[in-house]
Amino acid sequence: MGDLWPVEDHNLLGHWKLVPKRSANPFSEGGAAPSENTRIHAAGLAVTRARKQLVSDFSLDLGREVVALLGPNGVGKTTLLEVLAGLTTPTLGVLQFVNESASGGEPYVYAARMRVGYVPQFDEPISGLSVRQSVAYAGWLKGMSGPLLNSATELALTRARCTDFANQASTKLSGGQFRRLLIAQALVHQPEILILDEPTASLDPHEQSELKLLLTEAKASTAIILTTHNLRDLPGLVDRVIVLSGTEPKVFNSVAAFCGLETGGPEPTDAMLQRAYSGAL
Amino acid sequence: MKIDKRNPALAIILRSRLRFAVLPIALLALFLGQQLFDPGIPTWVNATQAVVQPIAVCGPLLAAFAAWDATDFGRVAARKRMRLSRNGGAAAIASVWLGSASWAVLSFALWATLLLVSQVNNQPWGTITWPWLVSATCALLAQVSAGAVLGYFWPTFLAPAVAAVVLFFINGAVVLIPLLHNQTLLSAAFSQVQQVAFTINLPILWAQALWFTGIAIIGLAIALGSLSAPTKTKINVLLTGTTAAAAGLALIVTSPGGFFEYTHSGWDYVCSKITKICVHPALEKAIPQIDDALEPTLAHIERTNFSASRYEWTNRGLLGEPSSGAIAFHLDSLSPGWKRNLRLELSRDLLTAGSSSGGPCDKVNGDADPGAFAGLKSIIAAWLADAPEAALPNGAQEIGAKSRFDKLSEIDRQSWLFAHTNAICTSTLNSDDF
């Protein structure tokens, strides 16, 4: 797969800095060096729009893992994802990509375009394009063309299990198929980090489990950060759970820890998950 | 050549809904354009006008489809996706614009080709005014761009309808609300009746093309402004559009002339050998019919002071005075009723002082009230034009005069006309003269 990727993109490094702030966040020492496999280092992020604080003092070191952001509506989950995706610039804080070289590079918002794949909660297909063309369009937006684009498109279709309906009109898909198309679009440029905003929302149970399986496969090569209200998404997929509740975020290093269970034990039940979530808020 | 439909830029162009509108709108334009040909007067300039003029209706319609297309890309998620693209969405939004523009131009090219080809067999006079077609294309692009801006920033199902209606009225408002000299030319919907003795002011057409191109580019720049393309790109596109529009605007409003220039000397008369009727080359094929139409009037004025050695077609209401010794007549088209109208107009002109007809009355200043003479003049004009219903005597005295005149033989009438030339021209004729 690596040979599909344009050479000049291999070493993209981005960092974006505003006013550095020492974070009081317990799971990230603001300004401290992130761990070796860290891909995004965020410290003391705050987002204010029209005098309203949407996100305050959020820190995260994201490595090769799946992180779930939980919390009630309006707590700033989507805003936070948009910051990490490079769509929104934070008002305060440090946000940077970290890999082999920790200095120099382009601003975060530019680096994020190539290193992050983003699946919004709400989207609509572009009429007139087939599923394959929609994925190719997403790849083209990322700067791909020619044979490279064709290969990347086919690969993304395969990874997102869209090959069966690849030639179908993108406007004629079921909810689950469309969600897979969005994931294929997000994966086409083989991002290091996949960001999903409520990926299983409005899907039926079968579609939810299919999507979860797909993401479980994707996590082998991509760090994932997602938001969800569906607590059943967590077991078997998520490595870390962060609960945003308007005050200080609560971090759990595993789903078991989130549920107060021992690691390696039986999978938590829905009731346990619900109880854990209520307790964390 | 196989088209790779997976090429996303091409896919965006090909997926445009405008592709479904190309043929219907071209056919509508064809229908509208056919109404604009001057019957019997085949000229390429008139044909070009017939191609251009349907833009007033078809432009807003094409813009509506462009608006519909743009709604797909104006939605929040689609815009986010473009903003996260490598170049911040510049290439994507350019493809959207290019897609709409391509289909609109294709539609225009289709109806232009059909209309112009339909004229080939008519042996039109003159040449196709290519700059006019260029400026029309730019006008179309400006409308499509404006429609796309609306659809992009207001991605609802209402946007297409609103785009069509608003553009139609904006174009009309630019024409109708006085503001600037030559402002009419700033609208894509302006209309101007083309007459054969005019040539078009070509520099104004190029200025128009510049103005419309600027508007089209500004539309793209506005959409680009909502994306995360490099600031330098945004500024360059906006500057290009603004500069082109401003330059075009300045050239149009400061142009001393109008859209047309009168070129009386730009063509040579074509004359019939027997009846001495001379016309603009565009009317050459109509000479036998004009001969036929004017024959009764020419027969009536033979051996009177109103007879001439030559009868010249001139443009109505213009400086086009006939040659020395010639009588002028006007003809706009061979639309139904033209023969009677031609005779009546020539007859009335001959009887009116200072009408520039080249007849004897031209040299006379009427010193009586022309209105008082209208009824009596109509009796003579109706006879000359072989249009008895055009005689409209006022009051018992004039009715009596008509009755007496009707009883005269053709030779007596000619003698009477000869004898009363001065009274007719000076508007001093009275009922007792009949």
Side-chain angles (χ1 to χ4, degrees):
Chain A
M1 276 190 265
D3 58 348
L4 293 174
W5 194 237
V7 173
E8 67 269 23
D9 292 333
H10 273 302
N11 297 316
L12 276 179
L13 175 81
H15 72 257
W16 184 89
K17 283 190 178 184
L18 285 173
V19 183
K21 180 184 174 185
R22 186 148 191 90
S23 173
N25 202 311
F27 53 85
S28 174
E29 294 298 319
S35 62
E36 203 171 300
N37 68 350
T38 296
R39 297 175 180 210
I40 288 180
H41 170 63
L45 292 183
V47 181
T48 306
R49 295 283 181 270
R51 294 183 182 177
K52 191 180 174 192
Q53 185 105 16
L54 302 175
V55 174
S56 63
D57 199 16
F58 179 85
S59 299
L60 170 72
D61 283 331
L62 180 69
R64 180 172 287 197
E65 60 185 328
V66 179
V67 174
L69 288 178
L70 308 182
N73 288 333
V75 81
K77 299 189 297 293
T78 297
T79 305
L80 199 52
L81 291 192
E82 290 191 346
V83 169
L84 297 174
L87 277 167
T88 302
T89 50
T91 318
L92 271 180
V94 177
L95 180 60
Q96 64 187 56
F97 284 100
V98 183
N99 58 5
E100 55 271 19
S101 169
S103 61
E106 55 191 331
Y108 181 88
V109 286
Y110 296 126
R113 291 176 188 174
M114 303 310 298
R115 300 177 70 159
V116 172
Y118 177 63
V119 180
Q121 183 183 355
F122 303 106
D123 203 347
E124 283 181 65
I126 292 174
S127 70
L129 294 186
S130 68
V131 170
R132 179 173 273 111
Q133 286 173 326
S134 299
V135 176
Y137 167 67
W140 177 68
L141 287 177
K142 298 295 184 183
M144 296 169 153
S145 61
L148 172 70
L149 175 62
N150 291 342
S151 311
T153 300
E154 295 308 319
L155 188 65
L157 287 168
T158 306
R159 287 181 72 188
R161 301 179 177 204
C162 296
T163 45
D164 289 348
F165 53 92
N167 293 321
Q168 208 166 308
S170 57
T171 47
K172 304 255 168 88
L173 302 178
S174 67
Q177 287 175 323
F178 182 59
R179 193 60 69 169
R180 273 143 66 190
L181 163 60
L182 294 180
I183 291 173
Q185 288 183 307
L187 288 173
V188 68
H189 62 297
Q190 297 177 45
E192 294 169 52
I193 298 140
L194 184 59
I195 295 177
L196 304 107
D197 196 357
E198 300 197 28
T200 55
S202 72
L203 297 185
D204 66 36
H206 175 67
E207 288 173 332
Q208 285 179 17
S209 47
E210 282 220 327
L211 196 73
K212 193 172 161 186
L213 195 62
L214 191 158
L215 294 176
T216 309
E217 288 169 4
K219 73 186 261 193
S221 57
T222 312
I224 297 174
I225 180 163
L226 57 87
T227 64
T228 185
H229 287 297
N230 187 356
L231 299 175
R232 271 191 278 177
D233 291 344
L234 307 182
L237 171 66
V238 172
D239 300 311
R240 267 206 289 172
V241 178
I242 300 174
V243 182
L244 305 173
S245 60
T247 57
E248 200 171 274
K250 293 186 176 68
V251 181
F252 304 91
N253 286 324
S254 66
V255 176
F258 172 64
C259 295
L261 301 172
E262 284 187 17
T263 307
E267 202 168 87
T269 62
D270 290 355
M272 288 175 175
L273 289 163
Q274 192 56 52
R275 209 165 33 243
Y277 177 62
S278 302
L281 288 176
Chain B
M1 189 182 74
K2 190 186 172 193
I3 296 174
D4 181 7
K5 288 187 179 176
R6 276 196 304 192
N7 178 320
L10 189 60
I12 287 176
I13 292 170
L14 293 178
R15 51 77 58 183
S16 169
R17 296 180 181 94
L18 262 163
R19 69 188 191 275
F20 300 117
V22 167
L23 187 60
I25 289 182
L27 292 176
L28 173 64
L30 194 60
F31 170 74
L32 295 173
Q34 291 286 357
Q35 323 298 314
L36 297 169
F37 288 124
D38 291 335
I41 308 182
T43 70
W44 279 122
V45 181
N46 179 225
T48 312
Q49 186 195 16
V51 168
V52 170
Q53 204 52 59
I55 282 179
V57 172
C58 296
L61 288 178
L62 287 165
F65 279 90
W68 192 9
D69 265 354
T71 56
D72 281 342
F73 296 87
R75 287 193 290 260
V76 174
R79 230 189 274 188
K80 280 179 183 172
R81 180 167 286 121
M82 286 195 284
R83 289 180 61 201
L84 287 175
S85 73
R86 184 166 195 168
N87 52 27
I93 201 70
S95 292
V96 176
W97 252 242
L98 184 64
S100 296
S102 305
W103 291 106
V105 170
L106 181 66
S107 184
F108 177 65
L110 184 61
W111 90 59
T113 306
L114 292 173
L115 274 169
L116 292 176
V117 166
S118 74
Q119 291 305 294
V120 170
N121 287 335
N122 289 338
Q123 298 174 341
W125 182 81
T127 54
I128 297 174
T129 318
W130 293 106
W132 203 359
L133 295 178
V134 172
S135 76
T137 307
C138 297
L140 202 57
L141 293 180
Q143 300 205 52
V144 163
S145 182
V149 167
L150 186 71
Y152 180 75
F153 285 102
W154 190 41
T156 67
F157 70 97
L158 283 173
V162 172
V165 172
V166 167
L167 276 173
F168 186 79
F169 282 104
I170 285 180
N171 274 309
V174 171
V175 173
L176 295 173
I177 300 170
L179 190 67
L180 298 165
H181 171 65
N182 269 341
Q183 67 166 22
T184 307
L185 297 164
L186 300 175
S187 164
F190 89 99
S191 65
Q192 184 78 50
V193 176
Q194 166 62 19
Q195 295 179 334
V196 290
F198 282 85
T199 56
I200 292 168
N201 184 350
L202 294 183
I204 268 195
L205 286 174
W206 292 119
Q208 236 186 341
L210 206 55
W211 158 253
F212 287 128
T213 303
I215 297 288
I217 296 173
I218 288 172
L220 176 61
I222 291 171
L224 201 55
S226 72
L227 298 171
S228 52
T231 309
K232 195 178 168 187
T233 307
K234 291 179 184 176
I235 290 173
N236 284 344
V237 175
L238 185 62
L239 269 180
T240 306
T242 312
T243 307
L249 173 72
L251 288 170
I252 288 171
V253 299
T254 58
S255 174
F259 188 66
F260 294 114
E261 289 172 341
Y262 180 65
T263 54
H264 187 261
S265 59
W267 38 270
D268 296 320
Y269 279 113
V270 183
C271 299
S272 69
K273 286 177 184 165
I274 301 166
T275 51
K276 303 167 287 180
I277 284 173
C278 298
V279 296
H280 184 277
L283 287 160
E284 185 175 4
K285 283 181 76 178
I287 284 179
Q289 296 176 71
I290 298 170
D291 266 352
D292 183 48
L294 287 181
E295 190 274 330
T297 305
L298 300 190
H300 292 319
I301 60 176
E302 206 176 345
R303 292 187 296 278
T304 72
N305 295 331
F306 294 91
S307 176
S309 58
R310 176 179 159 106
Y311 299 90
E312 275 183 8
W313 174 92
T314 61
N315 237 310
R316 185 189 312 285
L318 295 169
L319 303 172
E321 300 244 348
S323 314
S324 176
I327 297 276
F329 69 92
H330 310 302
L331 180 61
D332 301 321
S333 75
L334 305 190
S335 48
W338 70 272
K339 288 185 177 178
R340 176 187 173 278
N341 293 340
L342 175 63
R343 286 194 300 269
L344 259 179
E345 188 173 8
L346 173 61
S347 303
R348 285 168 179 160
D349 281 353
L350 282 172
L351 303 175
T352 305
S355 65
S356 301
S357 66
C361 293
D362 260 10
K363 302 166 188 77
V364 180
N365 286 324
D367 53 2
D369 178 9
F373 175 62
L376 295 176
K377 191 173 82 169
S378 75
I379 298 169
I380 310 166
W383 162 58
L384 291 177
D386 262 9
E389 74 285 357
L392 301 167
N394 281 321
Q397 283 192 324
E398 290 188 2
I399 290 171
K402 179 179 181 303
S403 176
R404 290 193 294 279
F405 192 69
D406 286 346
K407 287 174 185 161
L408 294 178
S409 69
E410 178 70 12
I411 291 175
D412 288 345
R413 285 181 190 176
Q414 286 176 329
S415 302
W416 182 90
L417 189 62
F418 189 88
H420 291 88
T421 301
N422 190 53
I424 290 169
C425 290
T426 55
S427 300
T428 53
L429 198 67
N430 62 58
S431 303
D432 295 336
D433 290 327
F434 282 81

